Amino acid sequence: MMNSLEKQRTEFANRKFLATPLSGLIAWLLVGVSGLIFPDRITVWVLFVTTGCIVYLALLISKFTGENFLDKHKPENVFDGLFMYTVGQAVLVYAIAIPFFLTDYTSLPLTVGGLTGTMWLPF
């Protein structure tokens, strides 16, 4: 089993990993531009909406990068499951970010950006 797990880890590490970082880059660029152009009240909503759309944008981009996250015919890898658990953990972080945001709205970029970045810990 160990050789099989090591082989899966190597295969997982050798992937491109472009779709998710690119979708995050697009989302955070939109947030940055919004912060320059719009008032804080609108930028807060842009931040919530764009960070909530990162996964869906990554699913779309993955078709163009060759990663194709929705491909049901690729071999299963236990590290894909680990990554999905950390994505779920990152989504649950909103339970911390939203109440903190309601207390101090300027905390939002740090809490959402920093805490949702925890999905990258397995790397």
Side-chain angles (χ1 to χ4, degrees), residues 30-105:
L30 289 172
V31 171
V33 169
S34 174
L36 292 172
I37 297 172
F38 299 116
D40 294 342
R41 187 176 192 95
I42 293 174
T43 301
V44 163
W45 283 104
V46 170
L47 190 139
F48 276 125
V49 170
T50 57
T51 56
C53 291
I54 289 174
V55 171
Y56 304 109
L57 186 57
L59 290 173
L60 176 69
I61 293 174
S62 73
K63 293 181 185 264
F64 300 105
T65 61
E67 296 170 88
N68 200 3
F69 294 154
L70 297 176
D71 183 10
K72 299 292 184 195
H73 301 302
K74 67 181 177 182
E76 288 189 32
N77 189 312
V78 294
F79 292 96
D80 289 331
L82 175 64
F83 186 70
M84 291 312 293
Y85 280 124
T86 58
V87 168
Q89 169 193 338
V91 170
L92 292 175
V93 164
Y94 281 100
I96 297 169
I98 292 173
F100 192 30
F101 151 74
L102 292 173
T103 302
D104 180 11
Y105 78 94

Side-chain angles (χ1 to χ4, degrees), residues 9 19 21-22 29 38-41 52 54 56-57 79 99 108-109 115 120-121 123:
R9 188 197 65 77
L22 284 174
L29 281 174
F38 299 116
D40 294 342
R41 187 176 192 95
I54 289 174
Y56 304 109
L57 186 57
F79 292 96
L108 194 59
L115 295 176
W120 295 102
L121 286 175
F123 289 93

